[in-house]
Amino acid sequence: MLSTSVAVLRLAWQSVRRRPLSSFLTALVVALGVALVVAVETVRASADRSFTETARGYDVILGPPQGSPLQIVLSTLFHVDEPPGTLPWSAYDAIRKDPRVAAAIPYAMGDTYRGHRVVGTVPAMFEVLTDGEGRALQDGMRGRLFGEGRFEAVVGSVVASRTGMGIGTTFGVSHGLVEGGQPHKERWAVVGVLRPTGTAHDRAISIPIATFYAIPGHTVPDQEEEARPLSAVGVRLKSPALRLLILQESRTGKAEAQAVLPADQVRKLMAIVGDVNQGVTIVAWIVTVVAAVSILVGLYNTIQGRRREIAVLRALGARPAHVFGLILLEALILCLVGGAFGLLLGHGAVAAAAPTLLGSYGVRVDVGIGGHDLQMLGALVVLGLLAGLLPAWRGLTTPVADNLQAEP
Amino acid sequence: MSAEIVAELVRVERVYEMGEVLVHALDGVDLQIERGEYAAIMGRSGSGKSTLLNMMGCLDRPTAGTYRLTNRDVAELDDDELSSLRGRTLGFIFQAYNLIPHLTVLENIEVPMDYAGVGPRESRERAEALAERVGLGDRADHRPTQLSGGQQQRVAIARALANDPSLLLADEPTGNLDSSTGQEILDLLTHLNEAGTTMIVVTHDAKVAGQAHRTIHMLDGRVDRILVRP
């Protein structure tokens, strides 16, 4: 009967409230577990996405013949790891002229400014590369792109916030990809600042590739343009389906460069990172399950002290199912109240950290409640019911007459 | 014209197994309780009076014989039916009051109505009227710990009356109270009986039994003798 069910629910709620401290602590443990799951899942999903989507800008990357494909992808797209060597400018010329190629972007790397990587490239890079939402890097930037051959620079948002660089700032670079290298005397002026994109370019400084070669030591004097060294060439094809053909040709062609498929390399990387991520997710879930077990233990122990109350309810007309439902509902209330609090806490923490993560680390996290949270609530209902089962059974089997006798 | 029978026990037995030994807690009890009656059950501990009360309260079932409550044979009812019979036709008053500690006076009185499926509005109105009737109208929002023993027992009495029971069972209702408060409770029970409530009181106190029309003395699981007040 409806009014009876409502009454049982009310009774369960009052019973949970009667033990404020123990109920609060139990719900808090659940909340922390859930918040942990939410935070880990959000960051994991965001990292996965940003990794996978950053790799989407190029169909193929040409790198030096030596060095592993993963190293080439990491150094070119994510600006971690050093470029494993160089390939000659002629390789760039050749691929640029290939009719199947929509865009080819050269990269020359090897210098830093206060720990931030300096990338010699062409302005087209900011159009070809996109962020996780598919917007070109140049969209929404302040200032303008550098002009070819001019001593101008475009800096990422993290570089700007960490170094205080803005439009008009001039700076020099030092040799090497680690701090403390030999300073060069050339000076560049910042002409543009990118919006936070959540990509590696938030942490990088880009300069025209011609000015990179103007730095003494980067080219041998009077070197033929053909022989100038490049770190990599990012290639966008007119049809992504052609990438396997290009890969094939690279293997059989001249050994001055190797072609790698960034999507494949990122997939391999994600497979490794994914295991770690999964481990972290499992740990977060274990915390939540432990919380559910604490509900079970806490509730189970209260039944001993509530035998008289249960017996009285039975004497007053409660059916066995009412007693069972009462205790099950108490477990469910603790689990769901804790869970709802945990969802708020988790999403709140992620939302609070999101601007910092993007601004200071260039990591874009997706803020907001999603379908994953519904799954989480569903899982909590199941956990709550499981946690309540044993205590409820104990309540159900509490003898009535024996527990009504005179003294407690 | 014979009076209406509310509760009837016919050769009721209740046998417990204590290891190898069989204990006959009730050993063939025949008893009839008429509507409007006020009966007391007396006897030493171990005489079977508590078992008899549990039996009449449908908290226990006979191992032999028949118990009919408002013309329904308890043996034919399953657990759910027995629970609702208990909630709708019986009222319990205990020595230790047995109120639910985290509920207010009104909420305690509402519990039997909740399980009987009475709607919230009607149940609130009836609870308020009952609190008024036992003299606790001004304490309706108090919790049991804020009340004296006598007041708690009044709440328990109001709760027992919630579903207008056919039979009210009281187990040593004044056992935890001082004599003057106990007397107030006995007076209240007498008033209720005069207003039509059928009442059975289990006690070892002759003064309590003295309020009843009949006193049933139990001995070794049998009805030893029945005294009718002149």
Side-chain angles (χ1 to χ4, degrees), chain A residues 25-202:
Chain A
L25 291 178
T26 312
L28 185 67
V29 177
V30 177
L32 291 178
V34 169
L36 196 61
V37 172
V38 167
V40 166
E41 277 298 308
T42 309
V43 172
R44 188 188 63 77
S46 307
D48 279 11
R49 218 186 60 161
S50 93
F51 252 103
T52 329
E53 301 203 345
T54 301
R56 251 181 230 167
Y58 298 129
D59 299 307
V60 174
I61 292 176
L62 288 187
Q66 67 276 36
S68 78
L70 183 58
Q71 196 179 359
I72 291 168
V73 171
L74 286 177
S75 64
T76 310
L77 284 181
F78 300 101
H79 299 166
V80 292
D81 213 344
E82 294 189 21
T86 59
L87 64 159
W89 185 270
S90 55
Y92 165 58
D93 261 345
I95 194 89
R96 185 170 53 162
K97 289 171 187 153
D98 191 312
R100 298 167 296 182
V101 169
I105 310 293
Y107 285 84
M109 296 179 278
D111 285 341
T112 54
Y113 172 72
R114 287 171 65 181
H116 295 287
R117 188 166 294 204
V118 175
V119 181
T121 184
V122 294
M125 182 194 76
F126 297 100
E127 198 188 328
V128 174
L129 287 183
T130 55
D131 69 359
E133 287 158 357
R135 291 176 71 192
L137 294 188
Q138 66 188 25
D139 280 7
M141 71 179 291
R142 281 186 292 126
R144 58 174 174 84
L145 297 176
F146 53 71
E148 298 244 31
R150 294 197 199 156
F151 281 80
E152 292 174 344
V154 171
V155 300
S157 56
V158 174
V159 177
S161 75
R162 284 209 190 146
T163 63
M165 287 169 116
I167 291 165
T169 311
T170 58
F171 65 99
V173 302
S174 24
H175 189 69
L177 291 178
V178 288
E179 272 183 276
Q182 198 55 239
H184 296 299
K185 65 177 199 318
E186 289 73 16
R187 310 287 291 173
W188 284 260
V190 177
V191 295
V193 179
L194 298 179
R195 69 171 200 289
T197 62
T199 69
H201 282 281
D202 289 354

Side-chain angles (χ1 to χ4, degrees), chain B residues 9-199:
Chain B
L9 292 88
V10 182
R11 289 188 298 282
V12 164
E13 294 182 19
R14 181 64 173 92
V15 182
Y16 296 101
E17 279 182 56
M18 302 274 276
E20 307 250 307
V21 188
L22 293 182
V23 178
H24 289 260
L26 293 181
D27 195 9
V29 173
D30 290 297
L31 191 62
Q32 291 188 333
I33 304 294
E34 294 176 1
R35 176 174 287 285
E37 191 178 354
Y38 191 162
I41 299 173
M42 290 191 79
R44 290 194 308 249
S45 71
S47 62
K49 64 182 193 306
S50 290
T51 310
L52 178 59
L53 187 78
N54 289 342
M55 203 62 71
M56 298 180 83
C58 300
L59 300 170
D60 199 354
R61 292 171 191 262
T63 42
T66 310
Y67 173 43
R68 272 192 287 273
L69 179 64
T70 58
N71 288 321
R72 299 180 72 180
D73 186 346
V74 166
E76 290 170 1
L77 304 179
D78 65 22
D79 268 0
D80 284 351
E81 290 167 326
L82 207 57
S83 300
S84 55
L85 181 67
R86 203 154 54 208
R88 287 162 205 261
T89 59
L90 294 172
F92 290 90
I93 300 168
F94 307 98
Q95 178 173 353
Y97 329 129
N98 285 345
L99 300 178
I100 309 293
H102 53 280
L103 301 185
T104 65
V105 166
L106 284 185
E107 287 166 348
N108 263 289
I109 300 173
E110 284 170 352
V111 170
M113 296 188 268
D114 288 343
Y115 289 122
V118 179
R121 184 172 299 174
E122 188 189 345
S123 130
R124 179 50 50 122
E125 280 169 11
R126 266 155 68 176
E128 281 165 351
L130 285 164
E132 204 66 53
R133 190 167 165 197
V134 297
L136 289 171
D138 55 340
R139 304 281 160 112
D141 293 324
H142 286 49
R143 291 182 200 278
T145 46
Q146 300 167 297
L147 301 175
S148 71
Q151 288 169 331
Q152 290 190 49
Q153 196 61 299
R154 285 169 186 274
V155 179
I157 291 169
R159 181 177 68 180
L161 295 171
N163 287 328
D164 196 15
S166 308
L167 181 61
L168 206 141
L169 299 166
D171 187 3
E172 300 283 10
T174 60
N176 284 12
L177 301 173
D178 64 55
S179 61
S180 77
T181 313
Q183 190 56 52
E184 286 170 28
I185 294 297
L186 289 181
D187 291 344
L188 178 57
L189 294 181
T190 303
H191 277 303
L192 293 175
N193 174 249
E194 283 166 2
T197 305
T198 311
M199 193 117 50

